Structures are given as structure tokens and as C-alpha cells.
């Protein structure tokens, strides 16, 4: 046996091995990428077509007191739609503010265009509603006096009541169904009296 021939053969074998391994690596990478792409598609399609709503800063603000017994309040909602496929709209939304003991403080309507809160796929929508409430028709004198007094209403809840619709195609949405959310615990107070925000408060679907 010729030693150099042996080495030559060895080199060829090693080279073939390397090429084989290289092919294997390429195939493995392609497979991994394919699996990842399919997995992501499955994850996106399995994501529930749900709307996630949070009350920004967990607070409802009393912005000020107007002449003629009116009080201005505001609430900011951050709505997100993790679904990769469809848009969601939440329209005709009434916001109700409730004491910890569930007695109603006041309620008002969110006026966000004609379709309400509308969130595209994998998007979010910030709505800031400012309501002017009449005292005492819409909200009690006692509550307003408390707000003037820098009293905070803690452990309050924001209830949302509206119609949730999912997009069928283009501008078409399903007829939808009445959906309620409860966001708790929320603090209500005169804007200058509120402590530093402790974070957003998530709303739970309750119907
Ligand atoms: C939330 O809190 C931050 C920090 O204090 C403030 O800058 C922001 O205006 C607040 N947003 C709302 C909607 O209250
Ligand atoms: C709930 O609490 C508020 C404030 O503490 C009070 O004014 C109201 O009467 C209570 N309502 C009920 C039904 O207990
Ligand atoms: C305002 O605050 C004072 C002192 O804390 C209290 O005595 C009074 O009852 C409060 N008034 C209202 C309307 O809450
Ligand atoms: C969308 O709505 C329009 C008007 O109501 C209708 O003509 C159209 O066929 C609908 N498209 C689909 C895909 O449902």
C-alpha cells in the first residue's frame, strides 16, 4: 500500500464528509426556518380574536369644575388586539364609574368616531374621553364636593358596556354582541391630587 495514496483517499473521504455535513446543516437550517415560520403562523392564527383593554395609569381624572354646576372628567383606555388576522371594533361604549360598594358614581359615552374603538390586527388604540357631567343630574354634589376637597375615591371600578365586532373582510364587521369589561381597582380624583401612577389596570371581560 502506498502511504501517500492512503492520505489522498483519506482527504477525499474527509472532503466528502464535510460536503455531506454541510448539506445536512443547510437542510437542517432550512427545516428549522420552515418550522419557525409555520409555528408563528399557527401561533398567530390561534391567538384569540380578543380585545385587551387597560385603564391608563389606573386613574379617572377630574379635570376641573365649570360654572353652571358642571364637572369635567377624563379616562384614557389603551386597547390592543393581538390577533394577526382580524380587526376588532368596540362601539357604542358606555363607561360607568362605580364605588367599591358598587353604587354608581356616574356614566358617560365614549365618542370614538362612528365605529367606536377600532383596533387593527396586532395593533393598539389609545382613546382619551373627556366628559362634561352635570351636577347633580349626572353626578352627585357629594362626590363633587369630595373631589374639590382633594378626596380620592380608591378601589373604584370602571365598567365598560358596548358592542364588540370582528372584521369579516375589508370594512365589513360581524353584527357583534354586547360585551362588558370590568377594570379594577381604579382611583378617581382631582388631577392634581392623584399620587404618582402605579401602572395601568387591566380590564376583564365579564360577559
Ligand atoms: C399617566 O401618567 C404619566 C406619568 O405621571 C403622565 O405623564 C400621563 O399623562 C398619564 N396619562 C394619563 C392618561 O393620565
Ligand atoms: C357606597 O359608598 C358611598 C361612599 O362611601 C356612599 O355614599 C353610598 O351610600 C354607599 N352605597 C351603598 C349602596 O351602600
Ligand atoms: C372636606 O374636608 C374636610 C376636612 O378633611 C372635611 O371636614 C369635610 O367634611 C370635607 N367636605 C366634603 C364635602 O367632603
Ligand atoms: C361587505 O359589505 C358590502 C355592503 O354591505 C357588501 O356589498 C359586500 O358584499 C360585503 N363584502 C363581504 C366580503 O362580505
Amino acid at each position: 500500500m502506498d502511504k501517500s495514496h492512503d492520505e489522498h483517499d483519506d482527504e477525499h473521504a474527509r472532503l466528502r464528509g464535510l460536503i455531506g455535513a454541510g448539506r445536512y446543516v443547510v437542510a437542517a437550517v432550512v427545516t428549522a426556518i420552515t418550522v419557525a415560520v409555520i409555528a408563528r403562523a399557527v401561533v398567530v392564527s390561534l391567538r384569540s380574536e380578543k380585545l385587551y383593554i387597560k385603564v391608563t395609569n389606573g386613574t379617572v381624572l377630574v379635570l376641573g369644575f365649570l360654572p353652571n354646576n358642571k364637572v369635567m372628567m377624563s379616562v384614557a383606555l389603551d386597547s390592543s388586539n393581538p390577533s394577526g388576522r382580524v380587526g376588532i371594533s368596540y362601539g357604542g361604549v358606555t363607561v360607568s364609574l362605580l364605588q367599591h360598594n358598587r353604587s354608581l358614581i356616574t356614566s358617560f359615552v365614549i365618542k370614538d368616531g362612528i365605529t367606536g374603538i377600532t383596533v387593527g390586527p396586532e395593533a393598539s388604540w389609545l382613546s382619551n374621553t373627556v366628559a362634561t357631567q352635570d351636577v347633580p343630574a349626572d353626578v352627585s354634589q357629594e362626590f363633587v364636593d369630595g373631589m374639590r376637597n382633594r378626596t380620592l375615591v380608591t378601589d373604584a371600578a370602571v365598567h365598560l358596556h358596548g358592542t364588540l365586532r370582528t372584521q369579516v373582510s375589508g370594512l365589513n364587521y360581524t353584527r357583534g354582541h354586547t360585551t362588558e369589561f370590568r377594570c379594577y381597582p381604579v382611583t378617581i380624583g382631582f388631577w392634581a391630587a392623584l399620587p404618582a401612577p402605579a401602572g395601568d389596570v387591566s380590564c376583564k371581560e365579564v360577559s
Side-chain angles (χ1 to χ4, degrees):
M1 278 255 183
D2 179 353
K3 203 181 168 203
S4 70
H5 191 160
D6 254 6
E7 272 172 11
H8 196 68
D9 269 2
D10 278 358
E11 226 153 83
H12 264 275
R14 211 167 38 235
L15 204 58
R16 271 200 303 278
L18 279 180
I19 292 169
R23 277 207 193 111
Y24 177 75
V25 167
V26 169
V29 167
V30 168
T31 306
I33 290 172
T34 309
V35 167
V37 167
I38 292 171
R40 184 179 140 76
V42 168
V43 165
V44 167
S45 73
L46 284 182
R47 272 187 207 151
S48 52
E49 289 155 15
K50 265 190 166 179
L51 195 60
Y52 292 83
I53 305 179
K54 287 190 279 189
V55 175
T56 304
N57 292 346
T59 53
V60 175
L61 310 184
V62 168
L63 299 176
F65 310 95
L66 305 180
N68 310 322
N69 281 326
K70 289 179 197 297
V71 60
M72 276 176 85
M73 305 182 73
S74 80
V75 60
L77 301 175
D78 183 355
S79 310
S80 64
N81 169 17
S83 157
R85 287 178 302 167
V86 294
I88 301 180
S89 85
Y90 191 39
V93 179
T94 299
V95 177
S96 299
L97 307 180
L98 305 178
Q99 301 263 19
H100 184 60
N101 63 15
R102 305 216 168 219
S103 68
L104 179 70
I105 298 170
T106 192
S107 62
F108 48 84
V109 172
I110 294 185
K111 300 178 194 87
D112 260 14
I114 42 169
T115 49
I117 293 170
T118 307
V119 198
E122 293 186 272
S124 60
W125 175 282
L126 205 61
S127 55
N128 191 33
T129 300
V130 176
T132 303
Q133 303 296 86
D134 285 315
V135 188
D138 301 327
V139 61
S140 74
Q141 187 69 53
E142 185 193 4
F143 170 82
V144 175
D145 288 346
M147 290 295 119
R148 279 185 189 279
N149 225 1
R150 306 290 204 262
T151 304
L152 298 178
V153 176
T154 54
D155 286 331
V158 169
H159 268 243
L160 306 173
H161 179 283
T163 305
L164 204 63
R165 294 184 173 85
T166 35
Q167 198 175 21
V168 179
S169 68
L171 294 173
N172 294 13
Y173 281 79
T174 56
R175 286 181 60 198
H177 54 278
T178 300
T179 306
E180 286 182 51
F181 290 88
R182 171 178 161 83
C183 327
Y184 175 87
V186 165
T187 301
I188 307 172
F190 183 61
W191 64 272
L194 285 164
D200 297 346
V201 169
S202 299
C203 304
K204 273 202 200 97
E205 201 176 315
V206 290
S207 67

